[in-house]
Amino acid sequence: MVKVITYGTFDLLHYGHVRLLERAKALGDYLIVGVTAEDFDKSRGKINVQQSLMERVDAVRATGLADEIVIEEYEGQKIDDIRRYGVDIFAIGSDWKGKFDYLNEYCHVIYLDRTEGISSTELRSQDQSFRLGLVGNSSFLNKVERECQLVNGLHLAGVCTNMPEILSESVRSLPLMTEHYDELLEVSDAVYLRTHPGLHAEQVEKALLAGKHVLCESPASLTVDECRKLYSLAKEKGLVFMEALKTAYATAYARLLLLAKNGKIGKVTSVDATCTSILKMNMEDPDELSGKWDSMSEWGPTALLPVFQILGPDYCDMRITSRFADQERKFDTFTRISFEYPDAVASIKVGNQVKSEGELIISGTKGYIFVPAPWWKTDYFEIRYENPAENKRYFYQLDGEGIRYELVAFARAMSTKQILYGIEPNVSCAISGVMEDFRAHKNLRVLL
Ligand code: CTP
């Protein structure tokens, strides 16, 4: 039996793909099709793939041409597959001519003529493109601008800021630079907000009322009611409103959530997340305090994310312990929150004047997931068991700190009107709820 293998992304499966598969199949008796996983594609810079891996696999299966479908997940897998499946022929389109000659050592390599006049790229470019406006007084916008260039379907329309001096040359040379939010809204289809959390609710509402999609840094608002209101307004208007928190879009994080929820460590009993940094600031200066983000604004949403995504938003008790920089207890420099659930517990520790090990530990009845510091920029984690021989390590590429994936998810949500992953509205509202209780000093003990 002659075995043939071919690989591709097969996004928006088209006539060119089908012809390629037909000819590959005709070269032998058994055709294996390798479909490239999204993460592998992202690491090669092909981050604008429109369909999910499952959708692409289903489309290839529906052609009825593949005898077997495999997922291509890592660099160098082709050689492993060829050996593992005893492949005789490696077939690929002529656009790859010469690139796979090295596989001749393992099997016969054949380049098949590419079908003229059609490609996934072309089909994708027929899609809508969205004009994105950036808002905020943060050098983080420079990173967002850089990452935007790698995302299909997004074009930067301008920036609204009071601090142009901290922005890069390329952000400053966007078509519009203004101090007036309304002006930016006028030239944008969507906005990305990296502003002080206290401004979010008003800015999000204004954008939605103007018919613009919104990607807003977490917390989306500082009260639960406001947060719910914003989600229902977006729904009513048929607009995308997504909370931005780059960790939520990192592949390793998404995988560990899946593993934790699917019983890999047994019943989850505790989630413990720590996020700290030492902020350089003069604690005696009230002006500095009002300009900077306190610990809970800076880190609270990130630390709360795995708690609510794994254990859900329905905790039965919450206790807060904080240290404050000011008499009014508005600016916390350290906070620990403990949550009680009927069947589990959780804790977060955040600080911007305290340093600790920034790790995430999810404990279960069979084992635990350990994510080393800084877990919020996670590309690696381990599952550890009583018997260390059973431990497993997981590594996933993380490009652009996750900002890129967040923007891809936003662009995709706008063009398909479907939010496929990220932060669920109930998690987003739960985060706002904790911010609200924290500001109301609910169940608070103050450290001297
Ligand atoms: N292919 C082909 N003819 C086309 C398009 C693709 O023969 N018109 C072949 C490619 O050479 C490859 C396989 O189909 O062997 C899968 O290609 P893939 O990269 O998934 O599709 P493209 O349409 O080339 O995608 P893109 O535009 O994103 O590069």
Side-chain angles (χ1 to χ4, degrees):
M1 183 167 72
V2 177
K3 279 192 175 180
V4 184
I5 199 162
T6 188
Y7 293 86
T9 311
F10 303 105
D11 190 28
L12 308 169
L13 196 100
H14 54 68
Y15 174 64
H17 294 143
V18 176
R19 280 204 60 221
L20 186 283
L21 294 178
E22 280 169 352
R23 284 172 294 155
K25 173 123 183 158
L27 293 171
D29 311 302
Y30 191 85
L31 177 66
I32 304 171
V33 180
V35 180
T36 307
E38 240 163 302
D39 308 315
F40 181 55
D41 254 2
K42 277 177 200 158
S43 70
R44 293 185 314 180
K46 201 171 185 174
I47 54 164
N48 45 4
V49 175
Q50 297 261 299
Q51 292 184 295
S52 70
L53 176 61
M54 257 10 241
E55 287 170 319
R56 291 180 286 120
V57 167
D58 286 346
V60 170
R61 187 176 294 120
T63 63
L65 292 163
D67 295 292
E68 192 167 343
I69 297 177
V70 297
I71 310 294
E72 187 188 25
E73 296 204 79
Y74 59 89
E75 200 78 50
Q77 185 181 326
K78 292 188 178 73
I79 295 176
D80 292 349
D81 287 346
I82 289 167
R83 283 185 174 152
R84 189 178 309 136
Y85 297 104
V87 167
D88 305 286
I89 298 173
F90 172 91
I92 194 95
S94 52
D95 43 328
W96 294 98
K97 200 156 194 132
K99 298 247 169 57
F100 292 105
D101 288 355
Y102 70 95
L103 294 175
N104 268 315
E105 212 178 290
Y106 307 92
C107 66
H108 184 36
V109 176
I110 297 181
Y111 297 101
L112 297 166
D113 283 341
R114 201 180 146 90
T115 307
E116 292 299 318
I118 185 152
S119 75
S120 303
T121 306
E122 209 179 292
L123 293 175
R124 283 191 293 259
S125 69
Q126 289 164 5
D127 272 12
Q128 225 176 330
S129 180
F130 295 90
R131 296 168 302 164
L132 181 68
L134 307 178
V135 188
N137 298 327
S138 159
S139 56
F140 192 79
L141 294 181
N142 300 336
K143 287 187 187 174
V144 175
E145 186 267 340
R146 264 200 314 273
E147 295 298 318
C148 258
Q149 298 185 10
L150 296 162
V151 179
N152 213 33
L154 286 183
H155 293 286
L156 287 176
V159 57
C160 171
T161 187
N162 299 319
M163 295 174 73
E165 67 279 7
I166 57 170
L167 299 177
S168 67
E169 191 50 46
S170 38
V171 175
R172 280 188 278 157
S173 47
L174 289 176
L176 175 73
M177 189 161 75
T178 175
E179 290 190 358
H180 305 289
Y181 188 46
D182 290 317
E183 279 181 18
L184 184 76
L185 285 176
E186 245 166 63
V187 300
S188 312
D189 303 308
V191 282
Y192 165 73
L193 303 177
R194 179 120 186 147
T195 48
H196 195 278
L199 301 171
H200 287 173
E202 193 191 326
Q203 289 175 331
V204 173
E205 187 179 19
K206 200 164 189 183
L208 292 174
L209 288 172
K212 315 295 174 182
H213 303 283
V214 180
L215 179 63
C216 175
E217 270 306 320
S218 195
S221 106
L222 292 177
T223 73
V224 186
D225 282 352
E226 251 171 21
C227 190
R228 290 206 187 108
K229 214 174 92 190
L230 296 174
Y231 276 102
S232 49
L233 179 61
K235 200 166 169 199
E236 189 187 302
K237 296 258 173 201
L239 294 164
V240 174
F241 167 42
M242 275 171 64
E243 188 160 337
L245 218 173
K246 56 188 191 311
T247 308
Y249 300 87
T251 314
Y253 176 78
R255 292 291 193 274
L256 76 83
L257 276 193
L258 217 69
L259 293 171
K261 286 184 181 174
N262 288 337
K264 200 84 182 161
I265 53 168
K267 182 158 178 37
V268 176
T269 305
S270 178
V271 177
D272 302 280
T274 303
C275 305
T276 62
S277 50
I278 302 250
L279 198 67
K280 282 201 190 91
M281 60 185 291
N282 177 4
M283 306 303 282
E284 310 302 323
D285 179 356
D287 281 350
E288 269 221 22
L289 285 191
S290 64
K292 299 264 184 265
W293 293 26
D294 58 8
S295 299
M296 274 299 281
S297 304
E298 175 91 25
W299 289 117
T302 306
L304 291 167
L305 189 72
V307 173
F308 292 139
Q309 288 195 311
I310 294 169
L311 298 176
D314 302 320
Y315 51 87
C316 42
D317 193 26
M318 177 185 78
R319 311 250 145 214
I320 306 175
T321 308
S322 293
R323 174 178 289 143
F324 291 92
D326 54 339
Q327 294 287 328
E328 297 77 30
R329 297 177 179 169
K330 282 192 171 149
F331 194 102
D332 69 314
T333 54
F334 172 81
T335 289
R336 189 194 70 191
I337 306 184
S338 312
F339 295 91
E340 300 283 331
Y341 286 78
D343 56 352
V345 294
S347 74
I348 67 159
K349 261 195 278 182
V350 297
N352 61 17
Q353 293 297 314
V354 166
K355 193 67 198 157
S356 182
E357 186 71 11
E359 59 191 22
L360 169 66
I361 298 177
I362 304 160
S363 318
T365 49
K366 289 189 191 152
Y368 68 98
I369 297 177
F370 170 70
V371 195
W375 73 263
W376 53 91
K377 285 188 201 169
T378 178
D379 58 2
Y380 172 78
F381 62 90
E382 290 178 28
I383 299 193
R384 295 180 178 171
Y385 296 99
E386 186 67 33
N387 174 6
E390 291 172 24
N391 289 0
K392 283 211 160 57
R393 293 151 175 252
Y394 296 80
F395 180 85
Y396 298 91
Q397 182 79 19
L398 179 70
D399 296 305
E401 291 181 31
I403 302 168
R404 194 178 307 175
Y405 310 150
E406 187 172 84
L407 293 169
V408 169
F410 186 51
R412 192 175 290 168
M414 289 190 288
S415 65
T416 61
K417 294 270 160 54
Q418 253 185 324
I419 302 178
L420 295 173
Y421 52 90
I423 306 171
E424 307 80 357
N426 65 340
V427 170
S428 178
C429 291
I431 292 175
S432 295
V434 173
M435 301 308 282
E436 182 174 0
D437 288 345
F438 173 73
R439 274 178 175 70
H441 294 169
K442 196 173 163 189
N443 294 338
L444 173 72
R445 189 174 88 81
V446 177
L447 290 180
L448 299 176

